[in-house]
Amino acid sequence: MSPLPPRPKPDPKAPRQSLPLLDPELREGSPAEVALGFTEEQARAEALRCLRCQKPTCIDACPLNIDIKRFILRMVEGDYAGAHDVISEQSPFPGVCGRVCQHELFCEDACIVGRRWDPVAIGSLERFAADHARLRMRELAGGDPACPSGPKVALVGSGPASLIAAFDLARKNYRVTIFEALHELGGVLAYGIPGFRLPREILNEEIARLRSLGVQFVTSFVVGKSATLDELFDEGFAAVFIGTGAGLPYLLNIPGENLIGVYTANEFLTRLNLMEAYRFPERPTPVHVGRQTVVVGGGNSAMDAARWARRMGSETTILYRRGRAELKARLEEIEHAEDEGIRFEFLAAPVALCGNHDGFVTSIECIRMELGDPDESGRRSPVPVPGSTFRIPAETVVAAIGQAPNPTLQKATPGLHTRRGKIVIDEQGQTSLHRVFAGGDVVRGGSTVILAMKDGRAAATAIHRALSPNGGNHHESRP
Ligand code: FAD
């Protein structure tokens, strides 16, 4: 056998590669993906920027502990399938996470290269490995599904928390069923995050891999209404995980909120993403987007709603009570929103919505803010500047100011402890009820995809421990 060619030396000083983007003119009216992914040449060049640290801090910083150093090394060698295999040891969702995870808060924040230069673009490399493996993975997913034979576990909700729990439990031979209230799978990944950030086929292909592990899905099934938790246990489920997310939007609580043309981001995005209102009347669900839209908020939902409004041809303003540095959305989405011509009105908050005789919203009255002392989150709190009100014309207003857990299941489940609407869990991820676990946004409030996955993984470990007679060793041999 001929010896392997020597690996090229790391080159951290080389400039970080930028993601090729869809031309802004082609984005109108369309969910076409904006970030196009690295070319092979870019992926190789970016992979070479990794220092291959002795103690890679990026791995500890990844809530799923993906072996980032090893997968990037595979990419340096041109072994993209191998890179994908390394990621898949920990996560079956590299196409999703490579696109929507806030890498700048986790692995890329910890990247040693970032101490002197720009950090390695770990997220874009993860995405490249995933996209490269698509064909091979489609073939694998098309084979006969596995038939697990262990105890039955019910997962409520099909967001990232439940999806990773299903992956971990199915690999340990549990018979997993996911119950989802909506007709589509994926939670926020399907109804909240637009296709121009996360194409549906990428999400569906990665979910299909769970089917091949034997995971069952039941859609249009609201636990707490279609069946209670007790009824699931009566059906033979040995444990339940609640990953129902935070789908109850906060309202602005200002005069005029009932005017026509005022939406919560949740409704606005569900209409456009899940019901494809951008294709109305070909699709039955409409959405009213006027000539001017104001979106209130500074997180991912606000960027997504504003970018959809822009795609629907509306002049769009994001109204945020703090400054640009405090925006909570992914950096990439903020930059894309700016590229797309969205205007930002910083340090301003809404005080009233004004309408016409027909009940349609026509403008939004705002007040200037200044930043005062830090609040409990450590961020400086916005304080209104007296006498500084002003108006912005708006035929559509979208409130994107955060979400709380939907209370349906909690209300139908006596003895399930909650605090301020969030389900309370112990350090094992267990709720106040025996063999009922919870994680993700229903526990944390609005959070991130990767932290929801971290919780789902922790709960799967705890469920395995709870259901194993020997406290966590494999039970494959159980009858
Ligand atoms: P969810 O994803 O909310 O899924 C919960 C699921 O449970 C839903 O499908 C719901 O229909 C279902 N459900 C609820 N009640 C029941 C019931 N009683 N019975 C059955 N099913 C039920 N994070 C990032 O890291 N990056 C981003 O780019 C990003 N963008 C975002 C954009 C938007 C618009 C929003 C709203 C959030 C975004 N987030 C982002 C946050 C991230 O999506 C969430 O933190 C994450 O999805 C939470 O996952 P989860 O599994 O806890 O719940």
Side-chain angles (χ1 to χ4, degrees), residues 149-464:
S149 56
K152 281 175 34 168
V153 178
L155 311 182
V156 187
S158 67
S162 292
L163 291 175
I164 197 100
F167 174 68
D168 286 1
L169 289 166
R171 288 200 301 175
K172 287 192 167 79
N173 197 34
Y174 289 92
R175 284 178 288 156
V176 176
T177 306
I178 291 187
F179 294 96
E180 167 56 52
L182 297 173
H183 61 284
E184 295 276 352
L185 300 169
V188 171
L189 303 175
Y191 79 77
I193 298 185
F196 54 78
R197 290 214 280 136
L198 175 59
R200 289 299 162 264
E201 58 274 20
I202 301 284
L203 175 63
N204 292 338
E205 280 171 27
E206 294 195 340
I207 292 178
R209 279 177 217 163
L210 298 181
R211 291 187 200 278
S212 69
L213 293 174
V215 175
Q216 307 275 330
F217 294 94
V218 180
T219 50
S220 307
F221 192 102
V222 184
V223 177
K225 278 201 162 68
S226 317
T228 61
L229 287 193
D230 280 346
E231 284 164 342
L232 291 182
F233 282 109
D234 290 345
E235 283 295 311
F237 288 98
V240 176
F241 171 72
I242 305 173
T244 46
L248 187 70
Y250 292 132
L251 302 179
L252 293 169
N253 282 324
I254 57 174
E257 194 143 19
N258 288 332
L259 288 165
I260 302 167
V262 182
Y263 293 90
T264 62
N266 194 302
E267 180 186 350
F268 190 72
L269 290 169
T270 302
R271 281 174 183 265
L272 283 154
N273 295 327
L274 205 63
M275 309 313 290
E276 301 187 319
Y278 61 95
R279 293 171 67 185
F280 181 80
E282 196 188 321
R283 288 276 187 267
T285 303
V287 67
H288 168 78
V289 185
R291 279 165 300 178
Q292 280 135 331
T293 298
V294 174
V295 176
V296 184
N300 285 310
S301 305
M303 297 306 136
D304 288 340
R307 294 178 69 197
W308 253 130
R310 196 75 195 97
R311 278 165 175 69
M312 300 299 285
S314 191
E315 267 176 41
T316 305
T317 302
I318 289 183
L319 189 74
Y320 184 48
R321 60 195 184 136
R322 293 182 159 99
R324 189 183 189 280
E326 285 80 29
L327 285 169
K328 286 178 77 184
R330 292 176 81 229
L331 189 58
E332 194 180 309
E333 312 316 329
I334 299 168
E335 289 168 359
H336 293 173
E338 288 167 341
D339 292 348
E340 287 163 17
I342 288 161
R343 209 170 71 83
F344 286 79
E345 189 76 63
F346 291 117
L347 291 168
V351 286
L353 299 167
C354 316
N356 61 19
H357 288 306
D358 297 323
F360 285 84
V361 67
T362 52
S363 67
I364 177 164
E365 186 164 308
C366 313
I367 187 161
R368 292 268 167 231
M369 310 295 274
E370 59 191 8
L371 292 182
D373 294 333
D375 60 16
E376 73 256 21
S377 74
R379 297 187 304 163
R380 293 177 66 195
S381 14
V383 183
V385 177
S388 65
T389 52
F390 63 102
R391 274 193 192 197
I392 310 178
E395 292 175 350
T396 306
V397 172
V398 183
I401 54 169
Q403 314 192 96
N406 186 313
T408 309
L409 189 153
Q410 290 84 313
K411 279 192 182 153
T413 313
L416 182 62
H417 290 179
T418 58
R419 194 178 300 130
R420 290 202 212 137
K422 295 182 246 179
I423 295 181
V424 178
I425 55 171
D426 63 18
E427 58 288 353
Q428 306 295 319
Q430 178 150 317
T431 67
S432 51
L433 298 176
H434 183 58
R435 290 195 174 171
V436 177
F437 298 77
D441 280 6
V442 72
V443 167
R444 293 174 181 268
S447 179
T448 62
V449 168
I450 201 75
L451 289 178
M453 287 191 179
K454 180 184 181 188
D455 290 354
R457 166 148 295 164
T461 306
I463 289 172
H464 182 48

